[in-house]
Each structure stands twice: as C-alpha cells, then as structure tokens.
Amino acid sequence: MRFAPEKRGNVIRLHGVARVDHKTKHLAKRLQAGEIAVIHHVDLDEVAADALIAARAQAVINTAASISGRYPNLGPLKLVRAGILLLDCAPPELMQMLVEGQELAVIDNLIVREDAVIGKADLLGEEQVLAKMAKAMLSVKRELRSFVENTLTYAQQEKNFFLGDLPKLELKTKLAGRHVLVVVRGPTYKEDLRAIATYIHDVKPVLIGVDGGADALLDAGFRPDLIVGDMDSVTDAGLCSGAELIVHAYPDGRAPGLARTDALQRMAHTYPAPGTSEDVAMLLAHEYGAELIVALGTHSNMIDFLEKGRRGMASTVLTRMRIGNKLVDAKGVSQLYCRTVDWRAACLLVGAAFVPIGIVAWLNPLTRSFLNMLYLNIILLVT
C-alpha cells in the first residue's frame, strides 16, 4: 500500500508520525510505512534513499541540502521517483524541536505541528531535482581535482602500513585456498546477490559481511562466516548470527565498535588499520591465503566514495595494489560462472522417468502385444 500525498487543487497535504534522527541509516530501521522521516543528511546518497523507500516513508523532511551541488548524487531522484514527498533545507532547529512519535502535517512546503507552522522547506519534485543535478555536474571537475589530491596526500601518509607486515589475528575461519566473497551494502547489492546465488551455492565461498553487508547476506538466505566493520550499521541479529567478528579499529588502536559487541556479549577481534572496513576485509582475505576474492557492492569510483562521505580513496588504491589480480567484481562472476551439468544425476532422472512410462505401457494390452512382437523380431534377427 502506497501512502500517497493528498492533493486538493494545487495544494499538497499529508500527515503522519515523525521519526527523527541525524543518522538516516539508524532512522530507517525504526521507520514504519506511512511515517515521515526527519533527517539531517547533506547529499542524500543512494543507499540511504533505498532504505527510506524500503521502509515506505510517506515523506522525507531534510534539514540539510539533499543536493548541495558538489556532485550529482542520485538519492533525491530515487526518492521522488518512488512517490515520496521530499522537503529540502528545512530549518535545522526542527531536529531539536521535534519529539519522536509526534504527529506532523505537511501543507505544500509548510511543516505543521498541532495547527502551528513550525517551519518551511523547499518542496522538490523530479523537475527540481534534475535541475539541481544538472547544476551539480558543473562542479564535478573541481571535485575530481580535490578528490585526486586528497587521495595522493593520504596515500603518501598510509603507504607504510600497506608496505609493511599487516596485523595478525587468530581466526577460526579458514580462508587459505578458498574463494572469499566480500559483501558491502552498496546501491545494487540485492541484484548482485541474486545474480551470483548459484555461484555461492556451488562454490561455497567464505562469506564476509562488511557491517550492513552481513544483514544483506542474511536477508538473501546466506549466513556470513565473518563480519568486519566498525559495527555501527549491522543489526543485533547479524552480530548474533554465529559469524566470527572483527572490529575495524583506528590505527592507534581505538575501537568504538567493541562497545557494541561487548554489550551483546559477543567476542570480537580488533584490527587496527587506516581506510575503510571493506579494505580491511579484502586485506584479511588476501593475507590469509584466499585463492580468489569476489567483491560485491564495494566502492570503486569517486561518486561512490563521495556518497560514503569520504573525500579520497587512498587506502582503497593501496589495498587493490597489494591484492593484485586475486580481486574480481561480482558482476563479472555472474557473467562468467555457470553451473556445470551433473550427467550422472541427469541419467538417473531420465531413467526414473522411464519407469512409470514402462509400467503403464506394459499394462496396456495393445502396447504389450507390440512389445512382444518387437522382442520376437529382434530374437529372429540375432539368431
């Protein structure tokens, strides 16, 4: 059921319960169908938009700019094309004014609580979003220059970590000589998981979920063997699924994610390293002897990293240089991998099918007579 805004004449009206959070990924877990999401999310990314769409939000009120103009992010376009009302650049004080669970009304660009207007926002439709995206395209070259410079600066600072001996862990999960699938909850992770489901069933790779990637595996019917990350976007169910846990720590050893695993009484390793948790997952697979590393939903270009809130990809470049040709993309695997035919099973299946056919044929008098004649003729020919 879609909770569509009511339109009377030229006036759009809707009302619903408000859910408020500075972190969209946290809010999406609490959001119920038909409710209004109140967020503070500059440059709303695709993954966040997908979560709001999946939760069936009726409207999104953003107290920041959903498209700041730095680059043409796709999240707002996804929202409005899904029929969700998007109110942009609402007053930031709404985040403090509103209480979780309060009833809100929206009348065009006005935000109303208990018959009082508490704020105005920019009402963005598809036309306005596309215009903002077109304008943002003019900034891409400048953003790319800054992104490259940032990447090179941090690569210089982080190179010693990647050139030296990496941290060692006493892992129970055996990776040596096996395929390893690293799952990140990127924009197309659901489609990619469906595309390689046969590969997972047949090859049985070690499954590593990077934070929310663990929940992606569980939702698809697979159990992760390892969960790597700072543990801020994986659910309690994911952390308690039986997977071995590795908390990504800062290079100085601080690991805020341990508080979460300790609260759930789950034992976890810590892995101090610069960069992203998906880099750590790939490094672990490589250093512990994986034969092949398949990356699903991982970040690989400037837009991906800007959507993740990172202004460079130094650690990712260095990680891929260290891993070399062991790393392949899941999309490539889905195109190249096909299930081999088990001829023995095929023959058994055909043979089993002939049994009832033969019984029915023998019970029919005409067929039995024909078979007897055929048998006698064969005997005469042989003798």
Side-chain angles (χ1 to χ4, degrees):
M1 177 181 175
R2 168 60 66 193
F3 295 84
E6 179 186 357
K7 193 166 185 178
R8 296 181 182 174
N10 292 323
V11 180
I12 296 173
R13 296 173 181 269
L14 61 83
H15 62 87
V17 171
R19 299 290 171 197
V20 187
D21 207 307
H22 280 84
K23 293 277 189 180
T24 307
K25 61 185 176 183
H26 295 163
L27 180 142
K29 295 173 186 176
R30 309 194 305 273
L31 193 65
Q32 300 296 312
E35 293 183 338
I36 299 170
V38 183
I39 60 175
H40 185 87
H41 196 142
V42 179
D43 293 323
L44 187 69
D45 60 88
E46 273 193 272
V47 174
D50 285 337
L52 293 168
I53 293 167
R56 298 168 64 213
Q58 181 179 191
V60 173
I61 299 172
N62 194 351
T63 60
S66 296
I67 304 178
S68 70
R70 287 174 50 231
Y71 66 99
N73 53 304
L74 291 171
L77 187 61
K78 276 198 162 186
L79 280 184
V80 297
R81 284 184 171 172
I84 296 174
L85 197 71
L86 177 57
L87 292 141
D88 205 41
C89 296
E93 54 267 25
L94 284 181
M95 301 299 292
Q96 285 72 48
M97 290 172 59
L98 293 173
V99 177
E100 180 95 358
Q102 281 185 323
E103 285 278 343
L104 281 186
V106 173
I107 304 173
D108 275 347
N109 68 330
L110 301 179
I111 302 159
V112 181
R113 180 182 62 184
E114 296 178 352
D115 298 325
V117 175
I118 59 173
K120 294 183 179 181
D122 299 329
L123 183 58
L124 299 185
E126 184 172 342
E127 185 179 338
Q128 290 83 4
V129 169
L130 288 171
K132 285 178 175 287
M133 291 178 71
K135 189 176 179 180
M137 283 295 294
L138 302 175
S139 302
V140 168
K141 188 177 290 187
R142 182 179 68 248
E143 198 65 36
L144 177 60
R145 182 179 291 109
S146 173
F147 188 85
V148 171
E149 289 171 355
N150 186 287
T151 297
L152 294 175
T153 299
Y154 278 90
Q156 186 67 26
Q157 295 174 9
E158 296 171 2
K159 66 180 182 182
N160 290 334
F161 174 85
F162 291 92
L163 292 173
D165 294 329
L166 300 183
K168 295 293 183 184
L169 303 176
E170 294 296 326
L171 295 180
K172 296 177 183 177
T173 307
K174 302 302 179 187
L175 301 161
R178 297 183 63 186
H179 286 205
V180 173
L181 175 64
V182 176
V183 177
V184 180
R185 200 156 53 179
T188 61
Y189 75 92
K190 290 183 180 179
E191 296 87 344
D192 292 344
L193 268 174
R194 282 195 293 268
I196 66 166
T198 300
Y199 162 78
I200 297 173
H201 283 298
D202 288 359
V203 178
K204 294 180 172 53
V206 177
L207 302 178
I208 301 182
V210 178
D211 272 324
D215 295 310
L217 283 164
L218 289 169
D219 292 343
F222 304 108
R223 190 180 72 82
D225 299 295
L226 284 162
I227 299 175
V228 178
D230 50 20
M231 308 303 167
D232 69 336
S233 60
V234 58
T235 62
D236 289 351
L239 291 176
C240 297
S241 64
E244 199 167 0
L245 306 181
I246 302 171
V247 176
H248 179 195
Y250 291 108
D252 62 10
R254 289 179 295 122
L258 279 177
R260 178 100 187 274
T261 57
D262 289 345
L264 292 170
Q265 298 182 332
R266 294 283 287 118
M267 191 179 74
H269 308 276
T270 59
Y271 194 94
T276 67
S277 297
E278 62 193 69
D279 296 332
V280 170
M282 292 179 192
L283 285 171
L284 281 167
H286 174 67
E287 296 303 309
Y288 283 81
E291 180 184 348
L292 187 74
I293 303 168
V294 180
L296 188 150
T298 55
H299 302 82
S300 59
N301 58 65
M302 183 185 81
I303 299 296
D304 281 351
F305 278 84
L306 292 176
E307 294 243 295
K308 192 175 170 60
R310 301 184 73 88
R311 294 180 175 270
M313 53 186 293
S315 63
T316 299
V317 170
L318 294 170
T319 296
R320 281 153 175 73
M321 289 176 70
R322 179 154 182 152
I323 292 174
N325 59 7
K326 275 188 183 181
L327 181 65
V328 297
D329 187 79
K331 287 182 173 63
V333 170
S334 68
Q335 292 174 8
L336 294 173
Y337 180 81
C338 59
R339 176 175 282 166
T340 56
V341 177
D342 187 338
W343 290 107
R344 186 174 62 177
C347 290
L348 286 172
L349 183 64
V350 172
F354 271 112
V355 170
I357 294 172
I359 292 172
V360 172
W362 182 255
L363 292 174
N364 187 300
L366 291 174
T367 309
R368 193 165 60 242
S369 297
F370 172 75
L371 291 174
N372 277 328
M373 288 178 61
L374 182 64
Y375 173 72
L376 290 173
N377 278 299
I378 291 171
I379 296 296
L380 289 171
L381 287 170
V382 171
T383 57

